[in-house]
Amino acid sequence: MGAERPRPANKMSSGIIIIDKPAGWTSMDVCAKLRGILHERRVGHGGTLDPMATGVLPVFAGSATKAVEFAEKGDKEYIAGLRLGVVTNTQDTTGEVLEERTVSVGREALNAVLPQFTGPIEQIPPMYSAIKIKGKKLYELARRGQEVDRPPRPVTIHALEVLEEIGENEYLLRVRCSKGTYVRTLCHDIGQSLGCGGCMSSLRRTMAAGFTLKDTVTLEQVQEQGDSLLMPVDCLFAGCPVFLLTSPRAERLVRSGSPIPAPRLEPGQYRIYGQERDFLCLSQWENGQLQSIKNFFGG
């Protein structure tokens, strides 16, 4: 066992690609573009970005789409623009301005309120979101001028800091947060706490599913280089130790979905590889056995 990935036996036909999403594109727009470039209908993303946002968008192609659920669960990090003194119906600068207020607070006051929004907090989802209430997407109701009660949702803000002041009443924040966090709602709520209102003026995701901006490629690069940019699906689980199967019987058990005996391992998740060094599954060790969580063999 070790941290390195065993060398694969065969050229992969699917994988993960980390796109630096351009502004103005939806996450599904990116997936549709990649379906055409890669000639693969099975394409999904690991965490929605609003059209105005840019940055890290993990995209999964082919059999790697089985791993999407693991990418969506992880923490994410953003660099967000906070504009004080402006309240909009979408909680960002793409929306209709509802209110403009005089701003009498500065960076010191902003820093002082950030601890209120750090750690476990609750957010009321914005009306302009894809969350469903009684079967209706909130943004569909919002576009008809309707507003409904939304129950608050628990999220966790792991880190929140002011990076710099980029203009009059405008700041860049670094936000590291759990799945389900609305950064524009965070900006709105910070503005409300300061008494002057606020909204999000920009958003760049710098980390998702363990990938950062240095891992990203542009759509133009994918257009030029195609599936040569795909990374193997097991790179998503690089933090998990490797368990290499050394007997045909053990591999047959894994491929049939049965647990395999594995004494003297530390509790946790393991990457399981077959005798040909192909990635088979992500497994959980407990009580002396490795049991598959998700299989990745087959098409």
Side-chain angles (χ1 to χ4, degrees):
M1 292 186 295
E4 296 301 317
R5 176 183 187 269
R7 184 169 297 176
N10 302 308
K11 185 180 186 298
M12 64 188 176
S13 57
S14 63
I16 302 172
I17 193 163
I18 313 303
I19 298 296
D20 187 347
K21 189 189 86 64
W25 289 61
T26 69
S27 299
M28 293 308 297
D29 288 339
V30 172
C31 290
K33 180 70 171 178
L34 292 177
R35 284 188 193 102
I37 296 173
L38 301 174
H39 307 291
E40 171 58 65
R41 62 180 178 79
R42 295 172 297 169
V43 176
H45 63 79
T48 302
L49 282 174
D50 288 340
M52 78 176 290
T54 65
V56 178
L57 181 68
V59 179
F60 298 74
S63 61
T65 52
K66 298 175 184 177
V68 166
E69 63 185 278
F70 298 94
E72 292 174 333
K73 292 175 183 175
D75 294 340
K76 298 172 176 65
E77 186 171 277
Y78 301 88
I79 303 299
L82 167 64
R83 183 171 299 169
L84 296 178
V86 178
V87 178
T88 74
N89 62 342
T90 59
Q91 301 182 343
D92 61 34
T93 51
T94 68
E96 175 189 342
V97 175
L98 302 177
E99 213 174 337
E100 291 188 76
R101 304 179 194 166
T102 301
V103 179
S104 58
V105 296
R107 184 166 179 167
E108 186 176 341
L110 174 57
N111 277 319
V113 303
L114 295 189
Q116 299 174 28
F117 299 95
T118 306
I121 64 170
E122 289 194 331
Q123 287 189 325
I124 296 175
M127 278 301 300
Y128 281 87
S129 66
I131 291 172
K132 288 185 178 181
I133 300 287
K134 295 181 179 178
K136 297 288 187 180
K137 290 182 178 179
L138 287 178
Y139 70 77
E140 292 173 346
L141 299 175
R143 286 170 181 167
R144 291 189 221 129
Q146 300 177 35
E147 182 158 350
V148 296
D149 289 335
R150 291 96 68 200
R153 304 173 68 181
V155 297
T156 302
I157 309 298
H158 300 290
L160 179 59
E161 63 174 328
V162 179
L163 294 180
E164 60 178 305
E165 187 171 358
I166 56 173
E168 186 177 6
N169 303 323
E170 193 158 355
Y171 301 85
L172 279 185
L173 306 178
R174 181 179 75 90
V175 184
R176 191 180 182 104
C177 55
S178 66
K179 171 191 175 182
T181 301
Y182 284 95
V183 179
R184 53 198 165 101
T185 297
L186 181 65
C187 291
H188 171 87
D189 292 347
I190 289 171
Q192 293 300 103
S193 179
L194 289 168
C196 59
C199 66
M200 188 179 76
S201 58
S202 64
L203 187 67
R204 183 156 178 76
R205 187 153 69 191
T206 55
M207 189 276 289
F211 300 105
T212 64
L213 287 170
K214 67 180 177 57
D215 301 307
T216 62
V217 295
T218 64
L219 287 170
E220 289 77 16
Q221 287 175 292
V222 186
Q223 187 79 62
E224 292 170 4
Q225 300 177 53
D227 60 10
S228 67
L229 295 174
L230 287 169
M231 299 183 293
V233 66
D234 52 341
C235 71
L236 182 64
F237 310 111
C240 301
V242 168
F243 189 91
L244 181 62
L245 302 176
T246 56
S247 75
R249 179 178 180 275
E251 185 159 344
R252 282 196 302 271
L253 286 171
V254 168
R255 288 182 179 275
S256 69
S258 301
I260 57 171
R264 298 185 298 277
L265 292 184
E266 293 292 321
Q269 295 181 349
Y270 288 79
R271 289 177 283 159
I272 310 301
Y273 293 85
Q275 293 178 282
E276 299 298 320
R277 305 300 194 266
D278 47 334
F279 178 51
L280 297 181
C281 62
L282 181 70
S283 290
Q284 180 75 37
W285 185 92
E286 54 185 33
N287 301 322
Q289 295 189 115
L290 283 164
Q291 176 65 61
S292 171
I293 300 170
K294 178 69 78 170
N295 295 328
F296 292 96
F297 51 84

